[in-house]
Amino acid sequence: MTSHLTDNATDAPGTRVHATEAEARELAESAREAEWHRPSFAKGLYLGRFDLSLVHPHPRGAAADVERGEAYLDRLRAVCETLDGQRIEREDRIPDDYLAALADIGTFGIKIPQQYGGLGLTMAYYGRALMLVGSVHPSLGALISAHQSIGVPEPVKMFGSEQQKQEFLPRCAGGAITAFLLTEPDVGSDPARMSSTATLSEDGRSYLLDGVKLWTTNGVIAELVVVMARVPEHEGGRGGISAFVVDAASEGITVERRNSFMGLKGLENGVTRFHQVRVPAGNLLGREGDGLRIALTTLNTGRLSIPAMCAAAGKWSLKIAREWSAERVQWGKPVGQHGAVAEKISFIAATTFALEAVLELSAELADAGSKDIRIEAALAKLWSSEMAWRVADELVQVRGGRGYETAASLAARGERAVNAEQVLRDLRINRIFEGSTEIMHLIVAREAVDAHLAAAGDLAVADASAQRKAKAAAKASGFYARWLPQLAVGKGTVPGAYGEFGPLAGHLRYVERSSRKLARQTFYGMSRWQAKLEHKQGFLGRIVDIGAELFAMTAACSRAAMIRADDPSQGDAAFALADAFCEQARLRAEHLFDRLWANTDDTDRRVARQVLDGDYAWVEDGVIDQSEGTGPWIAPWAAGPSEHETVHRSYR
């Protein structure tokens, strides 16, 4: 998984690495899990194959797992009820005794197998635990997620040797907080430009780690960290971006500062410098060059922590909207009975039901292990982060001026301390965390059009010769001759299909028809743009978003059917919420379908180029930019010892 970059930063730690677009794409492709050994419901959606049997009947956990999970949630709830989220907000720090209380009941080892000292709970109960903790304060959920979803436990569990598991997992389960360090001051979603290096010592017993990592969530209090660094190619080793488990107490590590953000007060996020940090060779995860693959694979299920936090925010928002809208009276009746507000309440309620449905279905699929959920997890993260933000925004609007006012201000004048504005601020990061919306569009789109790219071959290669393209066209024609006729008709055109879902059957017929329509539209795009399709990010983003809505509709219908089967007394209510959600989602999907071909994409790209060229700088006249002169856009850094005192602290 090595990449031949234009500058060799491995000879000079800290030197900026320059990678061409082709080199960056090559690195990303080499790290991508290209094979599909298990079925995927979401992948089928994009190919026009709506296979409901892959997700329905709704998957369920084993009875023993449910019993242990419920018992733990009871213990966790008891602890969470003693914690004060507003104290975290005021102090901008999670108190040490809060962390100790969570550690005492095993919260930092929820997913770690019991044989290594963890609780060994399922992904479904991990998600429910995150909902509980996150409802106290989202920074608590972010801390546990960064530790357990992408920090040391998950990559060690998935890729570590038995010796590494024995060494690190019991420590993590016992309360050692961990972090995942990938981003650098000048490197975000483009790891081909990574400058941090890990150079193998002459005796081969250790690596010397140099570099600076930015936005190290949990890094300020972490005891162990997973660090991504570029290993120079050497005799007997291929080098490349590699993953290491590093003890935060190692000499040469300095947490230079603790960052502050618009939301998530209490988040222990910092800037960490490594200067000649000696890392035992035995701390290398997998092989040299496997780092990016390890990171991407870990994120496949790690991303499900975001939907859990989003579902928690939706549930809380619904509770506040319901109680407030029944209490607040305007023009002679509660505001919730006015049409404008009723529309918002309906959206919040229906979307919250779907947020939990998407989380539960994705988590249960992950636990079952029989399906490939890389697209499902990505869609769950993408869709949930966008919809939860809308839910919180609508709650602020329902609350009016009180929605914009802080909980502390409300309490100071004797009113209920509802922190709606805080939830809105806190949720905003989820559209960026663990893959921004824009990056998630590209990730899912790459998987969604994979079959087309494979069929097209050199048709999708910009610099392929005319002869190669001709051969590719002949190959592609065979694939599409077999595939396209399958998209003409399906179960969604059969009246009465999916009748076991009662009033929701029509929505599932719509999903089936729309899945085939989505596949046809993708084919039209591939036919029209061929190698240029990857640059049509607006088109691809809408393709992905349509699939996300169809996935959420399916999850909502499946969950409603499960609830009705389990508890008929709640069945009608669940069906009503699923029906409302599907009606709303269909409108969004139809709008996206319309915008596939009727949009302002070309205009937007042209205007953007002119903006960047300075053609419209005159529009900016009349304001003062007080950020000018305060520093560069990206702070430069150089390898070497730190000039700062460390701000690292330990809670135990």
Side-chain angles (χ1 to χ4, degrees), residues 32-40 43 372-376 447-448 450:
R32 188 176 72 90
E33 187 179 359
E35 300 298 322
W36 294 83
H37 301 294
R38 293 168 293 168
S40 167
K43 184 175 180 65
D372 189 321
I373 67 155
R374 72 185 89 158
I375 297 182
E376 284 84 346
E447 301 296 348
D450 185 60

Side-chain angles (χ1 to χ4, degrees), residues 230-277:
R230 187 182 303 280
V231 175
E233 188 174 348
H234 56 90
E235 184 177 350
R238 59 177 180 165
I241 296 176
S242 306
F244 301 88
V245 179
V246 183
D247 194 310
S250 302
E251 184 177 354
I253 299 180
T254 305
V255 179
E256 295 190 332
R257 65 188 71 254
R258 182 175 183 269
N259 300 318
S260 181
F261 303 96
M262 70 179 283
L264 290 186
K265 302 302 180 183
L267 191 70
E268 299 291 353
N269 180 293
V271 177
T272 303
R273 176 180 292 270
F274 299 88
H275 173 60
Q276 295 288 285
V277 177

Side-chain angles (χ1 to χ4, degrees), residues 549-561:
E549 294 288 0
L550 300 182
F551 175 56
M553 289 176 67
T554 306
C557 291
S558 181
R559 184 161 187 265

Side-chain angles (χ1 to χ4, degrees), residues 24 50 80 278 402 425 465 515 571:
F50 176 60
C80 287
R278 191 168 295 276
R402 288 174 172 84
R425 286 188 287 107
S465 66
S515 173

Side-chain angles (χ1 to χ4, degrees), residues 281-305:
N283 286 23
L284 171 69
L285 286 176
R287 301 177 302 165
E288 289 181 356
D290 283 350
L292 192 54
R293 180 176 66 88
I294 289 173
L296 294 178
T297 305
T298 300
L299 281 171
N300 280 341
T301 53
R303 287 193 175 101
L304 292 182
S305 61

Side-chain angles (χ1 to χ4, degrees), residues 42 45-46 379 518 542-552 592:
L45 272 181
Y46 289 104
L379 288 178
L518 183 61
R542 293 178 198 110
I543 289 288
V544 170
D545 285 340
I546 292 169
E549 294 288 0
L550 300 182
F551 175 56
L592 288 165

Side-chain angles (χ1 to χ4, degrees), residues 251-557:
E251 184 177 354
I253 299 180
T254 305
V255 179
E256 295 190 332
R257 65 188 71 254
R258 182 175 183 269
N259 300 318
S260 181
F261 303 96
M262 70 179 283
L264 290 186
K265 302 302 180 183
L267 191 70
E268 299 291 353
N269 180 293
V271 177
T272 303
R273 176 180 292 270
F274 299 88
H275 173 60
Q276 295 288 285
V277 177
R278 191 168 295 276
V279 182
N283 286 23
L284 171 69
L285 286 176
R287 301 177 302 165
E288 289 181 356
D290 283 350
L292 192 54
R293 180 176 66 88
I294 289 173
L296 294 178
T297 305
T298 300
L299 281 171
N300 280 341
T301 53
R303 287 193 175 101
L304 292 182
S305 61
I306 300 297
M309 303 297 292
C310 291
K315 286 171 171 287
W316 181 85
S317 296
L318 177 59
K319 181 177 185 295
I320 297 301
R322 173 178 59 82
E323 294 176 354
W324 166 253
S325 298
E327 176 72 21
R328 176 65 164 166
V329 174
Q330 291 282 276
W331 296 294
K333 58 184 177 180
V335 295
Q337 295 182 19
H338 292 284
V341 177
E343 180 181 348
K344 299 180 186 304
I345 295 173
S346 173
F347 169 75
I348 292 172
T351 304
T352 296
F353 179 84
L355 284 168
E356 188 169 21
V358 165
L359 168 65
E360 290 286 327
L361 178 59
S362 301
E364 293 286 7
L365 287 172
D367 288 330
S370 59
K371 312 295 190 301
D372 189 321
I373 67 155
R374 72 185 89 158
I375 297 182
E376 284 84 346
L379 288 178
K381 187 276 174 188
L382 166 67
W383 184 85
S384 297
S385 62
E386 290 291 330
M387 298 306 289
W389 166 259
R390 295 190 203 178
V391 164
D393 185 57
E394 292 288 34
L395 174 65
V396 168
Q397 194 70 18
V398 168
R399 287 274 289 161
R402 288 174 172 84
Y404 193 67
E405 191 173 2
T406 67
S409 178
L410 289 164
R413 58 189 182 81
E415 291 196 4
R416 183 167 166 176
V418 176
N419 54 321
E421 60 83 28
Q422 177 203 324
V423 170
L424 185 64
R425 286 188 287 107
D426 290 340
L427 279 171
R428 186 59 182 84
I429 190 59
N430 290 332
R431 297 169 66 197
I432 300 171
F433 260 168
E434 298 185 17
S436 69
T437 291
E438 293 71 26
I439 292 298
M440 298 309 297
H441 277 151
L442 298 181
I443 289 174
V444 177
R446 175 63 184 86
E447 301 296 348
V449 302
D450 185 60
H452 297 278
L453 294 175
D458 284 331
L459 284 174
V461 178
D463 57 357
S465 66
Q467 183 179 12
R468 288 168 57 192
K469 285 185 177 291
K471 290 183 178 179
K475 175 186 173 184
S477 63
F479 168 79
Y480 288 118
R482 295 187 302 272
W483 179 67
L484 284 172
Q486 301 174 17
L487 304 181
V489 295
K491 195 173 179 179
T493 58
V494 178
Y498 308 108
E500 66 272 23
F501 284 86
L504 300 180
H507 296 309
L508 290 174
R509 291 195 293 272
Y510 172 84
V511 172
E512 195 278 336
R513 295 194 306 272
S514 296
S515 173
R516 289 185 285 108
K517 180 179 178 180
L518 183 61
R520 293 194 299 270
Q521 299 299 310
T522 306
F523 165 71
Y524 299 151
M526 190 73 197
S527 302
R528 177 175 177 180
W529 293 305
Q530 296 181 16
K532 296 180 180 179
L533 179 62
E534 67 175 303
H535 300 294
K536 302 297 181 180
Q537 294 181 4
F539 176 86
L540 291 174
R542 293 178 198 110
I543 289 288
V544 170
D545 285 340
I546 292 169
E549 294 288 0
L550 300 182
F551 175 56
M553 289 176 67
T554 306
C557 291

